[in-house]
């Protein structure tokens, strides 16, 4: 049996005014079109006290809502509510012109998701479908691909893609807390407590992922792979920010969170297998995924029985939103999986910018 | 302490939990809630790893993905 560690001794000195690890936060990304050019130009060059000249609602609506330019712009505008970017004043967060542009892009994004999902209120059917494990999945599955035929450079690319979420793991879901009450709130906070390391900084899931990036010799800075992440990747995170930041979409956030927790444990098991096959089976590489096999077997139960159960007992009219959150998650994850598996099967780089030490380094992806 | 049995799934126990195995060893989890495997299929026994789930052989499931850990 392991002894329970007792903490003692002086705390490390806190230097007042010391910058929060600036080296661990990557600079803002490069623009991918007119919208991101305008937004990033403002953040990095304009005065937050002045009104801005940003693309109009009509101009924003003319750009593909799931494309590179829209998704990067949304990601950058959402980032202002998380940790922002080095050198970008925090006061941009509530600039009305940026919020207006964000709202225009969010409308396009949400409409695109609703057009591509079936909707409905059959929550039991949605959950049941997620609770069955296909032995040989018909649709592309990243974890099956990596476990069966994956090679190290593909695994490293995968970590780079997922870093845009895992380095802020469970942060978007914290926004829903004040929008819940009673048991739904208590149980969701319990899951979040676990995501944030159960009170231990070194066990925060985002930290475990940063440790994995460092072990795999990848940039482990917050935002370090943002330029490399394509729109299909960014969209999976933008869905969480969208549903987390809007009280009207709290049901969808809860549906998304439950869907993610349900599907994680089996895929984390396959990720461990993939790491082992590629010769990286030591705990320094596998810890993030082994933790998720065990943790998400618990989180899944809590999300389904306690969070969704209590939320819908109190607000049954949110059922359609919970279903939407599950379906939108499935849609975006399937698009990402298809992108990754197609690229790798064809021997192509799946990132927008090849990893500096990966195959195809120094070429345009 | 509250315990809940998921039909077809694990026994949910409020943590921290110590489980004594057949050979006398004791394993401990300090998670707020623990999922104790009762189907005996878990590869992280005594903790549930969702191996109790039904499997489909037609390869179908909506929303499949890979490793989107939360
Ligand atoms: S009860 Fe879940 S793996 Fe056994
Ligand atoms: Fe989780
Ligand atoms: Fe997690």
């Amino acid at each position: 049996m392991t002894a329970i560690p007792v903490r003692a001794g002086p705390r490390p000195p806190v230097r007042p005014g010391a910058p929060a690890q600036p080296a661990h936060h990557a600079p803002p990304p490069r623009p991918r079109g007119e919208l991101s050019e305008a937004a990033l130009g403002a953040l990095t060059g304009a005065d937050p006290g002045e009104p801005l000249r940003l693309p109009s609602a009509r101009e924003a609506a003319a750009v593909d809502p799931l494309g590179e330019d829209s998704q990067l712009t949304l990601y950058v505008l959402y980032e202002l509510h998380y940790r922002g970017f080095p050198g970008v004043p925090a006061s941009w967060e509530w600039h009305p012109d940026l919020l207006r542009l964000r709202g225009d892009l969010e409308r396009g994004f949400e409409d695109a998701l609703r057009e591509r999902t079936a909707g409905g209120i059959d929550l039991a059917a949605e959950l049941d479908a997620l609770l069955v494990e296909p032995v040989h999945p018909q649709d592309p599955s990243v974890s099956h691909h990596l476990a069966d035929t994956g090679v190290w450079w593909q695994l490293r690319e995968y970590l780079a893609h997922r870093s845009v979420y895992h380095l802020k793991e469970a942060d978007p879901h914290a926004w829903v807390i004040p929008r819940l009450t009673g048991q739904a709130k208590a149980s969701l906070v319990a899951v979040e407590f676990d995501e944030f390391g159960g009170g231990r900084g070194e066990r925060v899931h985002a930290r475990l992922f940063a440790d994995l990036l460092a072990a795999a010799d990848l940039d482990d800075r917050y935002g370090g792979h943002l330029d490399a992440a394509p729109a299909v990747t960014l969209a999976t995170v933008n869905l969480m920010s969208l549903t987390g930041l809007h009280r009207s979409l709290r049901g969808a956030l809860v549906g998304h969170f439950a869907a993610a927790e349900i599907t994680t444990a089996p895929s984390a098991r396959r990720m461990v297998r993939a790491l082992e096959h590629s010769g990286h089976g030591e705990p320094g590489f596998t810890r993030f995924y082994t933790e998720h096999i065990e943790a998400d077997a618990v989180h899944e139960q809590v999300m389904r029985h306690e969070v969704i159960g209590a939320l819908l007992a109190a607000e049954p009219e949110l059922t359609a939103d919970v279903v939407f959150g599950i379906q939108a998650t499935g849609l975006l994850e399937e698009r990402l999986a298809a992108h990754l598996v197609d690229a790798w099967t064809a021997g192509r780089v799946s990132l927008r910018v090849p990893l500096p030490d990966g195959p195809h380094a120094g070429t345009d992806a | 302490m509250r315990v809940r049995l998921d039909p077809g799934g694990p026994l949910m126990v409020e943590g921290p939990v110590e489980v004594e195995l057949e050979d006398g060893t004791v394993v401990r989890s300090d998670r707020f809630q623990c999922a104790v495997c009762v189907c005996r299929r878990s590869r992280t026994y005594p903790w549930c790893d969702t191996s109790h789930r039904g499997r489909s052989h037609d390869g179908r499931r909506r929303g499949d993905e890979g490793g989107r850990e939360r």
Side-chain angles (χ1 to χ4, degrees):
Chain A
M1 198 192 126
T2 39
I4 301 164
V6 176
R7 267 176 283 176
R11 286 169 175 274
V14 176
R15 275 178 298 135
Q21 292 187 309
H24 267 87
H25 201 151
R30 285 188 290 274
R32 299 181 192 177
E34 297 165 20
L35 302 177
S36 45
E37 190 104 48
L40 283 159
L43 295 179
T44 54
D47 174 352
E50 299 295 317
L52 291 173
R53 289 202 41 210
L54 290 170
S56 67
R58 193 178 328 153
E59 286 163 326
V63 180
D64 174 7
L66 297 176
E68 297 293 338
D69 195 25
S70 302
Q71 288 297 317
L72 179 70
T73 308
L74 260 182
Y75 193 95
V76 164
L77 294 176
Y78 283 141
E79 187 55 50
L80 300 175
H81 301 284
Y82 294 95
R83 289 159 64 179
F85 299 97
V88 170
S91 51
W92 281 120
E93 183 180 358
W94 299 105
H95 194 287
D97 296 338
L98 290 175
L99 293 177
R100 195 270 305 155
L101 176 61
R102 197 189 89 193
D104 291 338
L105 293 171
E106 285 177 319
R107 259 185 305 283
F109 184 37
E110 188 181 338
D111 287 350
L113 295 174
R114 292 204 185 265
E115 272 165 30
R116 289 165 176 78
T117 46
I121 53 165
D122 195 349
L123 177 60
E126 294 294 329
L127 293 173
D128 286 350
L130 291 178
L131 286 165
V132 174
E133 266 308 293
V135 180
H136 303 291
Q138 211 171 43
D139 299 321
S141 156
V142 181
S143 60
H144 279 92
H145 172 93
L146 290 174
D148 297 342
T149 53
V151 288
W152 184 230
W153 69 265
Q154 297 173 351
L155 266 158
R156 292 177 82 238
E157 285 196 6
Y158 184 66
L159 300 180
H161 280 279
R162 287 297 184 187
S163 71
V164 293
Y165 171 62
H166 288 320
L167 293 176
K168 54 165 70 99
E169 182 160 320
D171 287 346
H173 313 86
W175 280 319
V176 85
I177 295 168
R179 284 120 192 221
L180 301 175
T181 58
Q183 191 61 51
K185 177 183 224 143
S187 293
L188 185 126
V189 169
V191 173
E192 287 284 85
F193 179 66
D194 215 24
E195 298 288 350
F196 296 137
R200 305 272 290 270
E202 73 278 12
R203 286 199 206 162
V204 174
H205 287 182
R207 166 70 188 277
L208 298 183
F209 195 79
D211 293 345
L212 169 57
L213 288 174
D217 245 324
L218 289 163
D219 190 346
D220 65 347
R221 289 175 306 164
Y222 186 81
H225 299 278
L226 193 45
D227 274 324
V232 278
T233 301
L234 301 181
T236 62
V237 191
N238 286 338
L239 172 67
M240 306 176 208
S241 303
L242 168 73
T243 55
L245 282 169
H246 289 265
R247 181 161 53 89
S248 61
L249 290 171
R250 64 194 179 284
L253 186 282
V254 166
H256 155 77
F257 199 178
E261 295 292 357
I262 292 171
T263 48
T264 297
S267 66
R269 161 78 67 209
R270 290 186 288 271
M271 291 305 295
V272 171
R273 205 171 353 123
L275 285 164
E276 287 167 353
H277 281 184
S278 71
H280 301 83
E282 305 89 359
F285 292 101
T286 57
R287 172 119 195 264
F288 174 82
Y289 291 107
T290 51
E291 161 63 8
H292 280 91
I293 296 173
E294 206 180 294
D296 288 348
V298 174
H299 298 173
E300 177 247 290
Q301 296 280 340
V302 177
M303 287 303 303
R304 279 194 295 137
H305 296 296
E306 299 179 16
V307 180
I308 293 187
L311 175 70
L312 295 184
E315 301 185 87
E317 65 282 3
L318 294 185
T319 308
D321 291 336
V322 176
V323 168
F324 170 61
I326 296 173
Q327 292 178 345
T329 303
L331 168 79
L332 295 179
E333 290 295 334
E334 279 165 25
R335 289 171 78 244
L336 173 59
H339 167 80
L340 295 175
V341 175
D342 283 356
W344 292 333
T345 314
R348 280 198 317 267
V349 169
S350 65
L351 297 164
R352 300 183 75 248
V353 185
L355 293 171
D357 46 358
H360 322 278
T363 63
D364 275 335
Chain B
M1 185 203 289
R2 201 182 311 174
V3 164
R4 195 189 59 238
L5 189 57
D6 182 57
L11 182 72
M12 301 300 296
V13 189
E14 282 182 6
V17 172
E18 289 185 355
V19 178
E20 190 180 328
L21 303 172
E22 286 96 296
D23 64 358
T25 52
V26 175
V27 288
R28 180 189 164 95
S29 170
D30 57 4
R31 215 175 285 289
F32 69 100
Q33 219 177 107
C34 304
V36 179
C37 172
V38 294
C39 78
R40 289 290 188 145
R41 267 180 273 173
S42 175
R43 277 171 284 177
T44 50
Y45 194 81
W47 315 119
C48 167
D49 70 350
T50 71
S51 293
H52 61 267
R53 285 188 191 165
R55 273 148 214 282
S56 77
H57 289 270
D58 66 356
R60 234 164 308 171
R61 176 180 91 190
R62 331 184 357 269
D64 193 35
E65 50 44 76
R68 67 186 123 118
E69 285 63 38
R70 297 295 178 292

